Amino acid sequence: MEAREYIEHDATALAARVRDGEVSPQELTERAIAQIETHNPKVNAVVRRMFAEARAAVERGLPDGPLRGVPFLLKDLLADYAGVPTTSSSRYFADYVPTEDAELVRRYKAAGLVILGKTNTPELGIMGITEPELHGPTRNPYNLDHTSGGSSGGAAAAVAARLVPAAHGGDGGGSIRIPSSTCGLVGLKPTRGRTPVGPGRGERWSGYVSQHVVTRSVRDTALLLDVTAGPERDAPYHAPPAERPFVEEVGRDPGKLRVAFTTDPLLIGQTHPECRAAVEQTAEHLAALGHHVESARPQFDAELMIEAYLSTVAANIYGDLAHAERTRGRRLRAADFELATWVLREVGRTLSAGRLMELRNATAAATWALAQFHRRYDLLLTSTQAAPPAVIGELLPTSAERLGLHVLRRLPLRPLLRQALVAGRRQLGAYPNTQLFNITGQPAISLPVHRTPAGLPVGVQLVAPFGDEATLLRVAAQLETELGWTEARPTFLE
C-alpha cells in the first residue's frame, strides 16, 4: 500500500480492506513502519519502536478481531506491554519492564491491532503539554513550533501526522481531549469505569483517569470503545451498560436535543477569541441541525474545584510513588524526577487527610450539581482549551517559578508547598474546561471544528450525563458530516 493511500483511510476502512483481502496485515505493518521512520523525526511522537514485536505478532497470526491488521500505538504510561519498558517519561521508571500486559492492552491485541511502539507523554502524565526531559518535546504536526498538547501528546501527534490511524491515550484532567483539540482530532474521555485501568487496581487518580484513544473519525472512536469497554474481573464499579454497540450510534438520529453552551472558562482565566468563535459557530451548527441551543452553564464553586483537582492529583502522585518505592525496592530521589513533579509529590505528602476529605465532599456536591444541570440540558458545549496551541516551552515553569520550586525542593515546608499550586493554576488557565468532568466522571468529547488564521486546530468539547456516550457519538457524527474534518492533514503530507 502506497503512503498516499494509507493516509486517506481511517482504522475502520483499513480493517475492512484487510477483511476483503485487498491488503494484508504484513503490508499495513510495513507501511506504518515506513511512515514512522519518515515522519517521526519531525514530531518526536514515538519514543519506543516495537517493530520487531509487531512483525512477530503478525507472523504468528493475529486474532480475527474487528481491527485485525490495523497499526496502533500505545501511550508510554499505564499501557503495560509485557517485556517492553513503560517509562512514564521518568528517569525513575526508565528501566521498568512489566511482566504482564495491562488489561486494556490485552483487549487491543484481541481486537487484532498491531502495536508498533509507544508514544511520548509528560512525566507521569501530569502536564497538559508533552515536553518531558527524558524524551524531549513532541511537536504539533500542523506547526512544529507549537505544542501537541498533553498528556497524550505523542499519541495525538502520531495520528495527526498519519503515522497510524488511531492511538491509545489516557485522560486524568483532559489528557485525551486537550491533545485532540491541539492536533485536530476526535478525542473521547469515556464515563468513569467504562474502560479498564488494571490489572491490580480498579481506579487511577481517585477515579479521575479514564483510558481510550485519539482518532481522526467518530466511527473509529466508537469502534475502539466497543472492543475495550466493560469492566475487568473484580473491578470495584461499572459504568452503566450500553443499549447497543457504540458503533451503531454513529449515524443514528439523536432527536432534538437541549444543548447549553458557554464561551466562558469553567474554572479560571479568559477564553481566546478563536476558541470563543469555535463554540459560537458550533452552537449555530447545532441549532441548524434542529437542536434547541441556549447560553447556560452549571453552577459550582470553581475555586474549590481547582483546589480539589490539584490536591487530589498531588496526593495521588505521592501515593503512586510511595507504592513504586515499596514494590520496586528502589529509593526515591529528587534527582530522578523533574523539578515540578518532585515538588508536586511533596505537596501531596503534606496534605492533611481531613482537608482531602473536605475537598472530596465538595466534589461530590459539584457532581450532584452537574447531574441536576443535565436534567435541563442533554449536552453542554464549551471550548476544549482556553487558547490555541501554545508555542513549545510557553507553558513550562517560568524562571521565577523554577527558582521557587528549587527552594521548595530543598526546604519542603508545608506553608511554602501550598504556594506551589500557584504554578499549577497558571497551566489550568490554558485548559480550564476539562478537569471538571474527570472529577464528576462524565463522558466528554473534543471535536476538531475550527482552525485559526494560521492553520492551528481548535476544538470544542461536548459533555453528556454520566454513562451517556451514545448521545455524544450521535451528535459528534452529525457535526462530522456537516464539517468534514476527516480530510484535514498537515502540510508536510500534501
Side-chain angles (χ1 to χ4, degrees):
M1 176 178 281
E2 296 296 325
R4 64 178 180 276
E5 186 179 8
Y6 174 77
I7 67 175
E8 291 173 355
H9 291 75
D10 64 1
T12 301
L14 289 175
R17 297 204 62 184
V18 171
R19 283 195 302 275
D20 293 341
E22 296 175 13
V23 65
S24 70
Q26 289 87 350
E27 290 176 273
L28 280 184
T29 298
E30 295 306 320
R31 170 42 55 196
I33 288 172
Q35 290 293 108
I36 293 169
E37 290 179 331
T38 300
H39 297 300
N40 190 60
K42 303 181 185 74
V43 294
N44 189 36
V46 181
V47 294
R48 181 169 299 277
R49 298 180 177 188
M50 295 168 58
F51 299 164
E53 291 87 348
R55 286 168 171 146
V58 172
E59 183 65 26
R60 285 193 303 269
L62 299 168
D64 191 21
L67 289 160
R68 179 172 173 267
V70 175
F72 194 70
L73 292 165
L74 300 175
K75 183 177 179 179
D76 194 21
L77 180 68
L78 300 183
D80 285 353
Y81 186 112
V84 175
T86 301
T87 74
S88 305
S89 287
S90 173
R91 291 182 288 271
Y92 182 81
F93 293 103
D95 60 351
Y96 166 64
V97 180
T99 57
E100 64 177 326
D101 290 343
E103 176 61 24
L104 197 64
V105 172
R106 293 173 190 157
R107 297 182 186 189
Y108 289 143
K109 289 181 176 180
L113 290 164
V114 179
I115 297 169
L116 287 152
K118 292 204 166 187
T119 60
N120 205 5
T121 180
E123 186 172 50
L124 306 186
I126 292 169
M127 301 184 79
I129 53 175
T130 302
E131 302 176 32
E133 293 174 5
L134 185 66
H135 297 306
T138 294
R139 298 181 177 275
N140 192 315
Y142 285 92
N143 185 321
L144 299 177
D145 292 330
H146 289 255
T147 179
S148 63
S151 66
S152 306
V159 175
R162 303 300 195 269
L163 309 186
V164 292
H168 160 257
D171 192 315
S175 292
I176 286 175
R177 290 160 289 160
I178 291 166
S180 293
S181 172
T182 299
C183 292
L185 302 172
V186 176
L188 171 69
K189 181 198 79 69
T191 297
R192 180 176 298 152
R194 180 70 70 194
T195 57
V197 295
R201 298 178 68 171
E203 65 178 22
R204 302 277 180 164
W205 282 12
S206 300
Y208 288 7
V209 172
S210 293
Q211 296 189 89
H212 193 33
V213 292
V214 292
T215 70
R216 288 159 42 205
S217 67
V218 176
R219 67 179 186 176
D220 278 3
T221 290
L223 178 56
L224 277 151
L225 192 56
D226 281 327
V227 302
T228 56
E232 61 191 305
R233 185 176 178 178
D234 301 324
Y237 46 74
H238 303 178
E243 184 177 348
R244 61 184 63 86
F246 290 108
V247 76
E248 292 182 12
E249 305 295 353
V250 179
R252 184 177 288 269
D253 184 1
K256 183 175 181 177
L257 301 176
R258 300 160 299 170
V259 182
F261 77 93
T262 180
T263 57
D264 295 330
L266 295 179
L267 293 185
I268 190 173
Q270 302 293 323
T271 304
H272 189 280
E274 291 293 335
C275 297
R276 187 179 295 272
V279 173
E280 291 170 344
Q281 292 164 11
T282 303
E284 291 172 3
H285 285 301
L286 289 170
L289 288 166
H291 303 297
H292 173 78
V293 181
E294 63 180 79
S295 176
R297 58 172 290 160
Q299 298 302 308
F300 56 91
D301 190 323
E303 282 298 318
L304 264 181
M305 289 306 98
I306 292 170
E307 184 185 355
Y309 178 77
L310 293 174
S311 297
T312 300
V313 172
N316 275 273
I317 293 299
Y318 173 76
D320 289 345
L321 293 181
H323 174 77
E325 185 175 47
R326 287 194 305 271
T327 56
R328 301 190 73 210
R330 178 179 165 189
R331 186 172 62 88
L332 298 172
R333 301 182 309 153
D336 288 330
F337 296 93
E338 294 180 19
L339 179 59
T341 302
W342 185 259
V343 171
L344 191 63
R345 177 241 183 206
E346 289 295 296
V347 171
R349 184 178 63 82
T350 63
L351 285 167
S352 75
R355 184 54 180 165
L356 281 174
M357 286 309 302
E358 286 184 289
L359 295 171
R360 184 174 178 84
N361 290 338
T363 61
T367 299
W368 182 258
L370 264 293
Q372 302 314 299
F373 179 82
H374 281 289
R375 288 180 178 268
R376 300 192 301 276
Y377 299 103
D378 300 296
L379 295 175
L380 172 64
L381 168 66
T382 75
S383 62
T384 306
Q385 298 177 258
V391 173
I392 294 286
E394 182 179 342
L395 294 179
L396 289 174
T398 64
S399 298
E401 288 169 346
R402 287 189 63 83
L403 180 60
L405 292 174
H406 274 296
V407 171
L408 291 174
R409 185 163 69 177
R410 292 195 302 272
L411 300 170
L413 303 176
R414 181 174 295 185
L416 294 177
L417 284 168
R418 300 297 294 160
Q419 297 303 310
L421 296 183
V422 173
R425 290 173 63 92
R426 187 172 69 86
Q427 269 225 359
L428 283 183
Y431 32 84
N433 296 332
T434 54
Q435 298 81 11
L436 180 62
F437 309 108
N438 297 88
I439 291 172
T440 65
Q442 295 170 243
I445 193 169
S446 182
L447 302 174
V449 300
H450 186 66
R451 291 285 190 278
T452 70
L456 287 167
V458 172
V460 296
Q461 175 180 238
L462 286 170
V463 186
F466 194 92
D468 193 11
E469 287 93 339
T471 298
L472 288 180
L473 293 168
R474 293 174 192 171
V475 174
Q478 278 190 320
L479 289 170
E480 183 177 65
T481 299
E482 181 85 3
L483 301 176
W485 59 62
T486 58
E487 303 305 314
R489 65 186 62 167
T491 55
F492 65 70
L493 293 172
E494 295 175 354

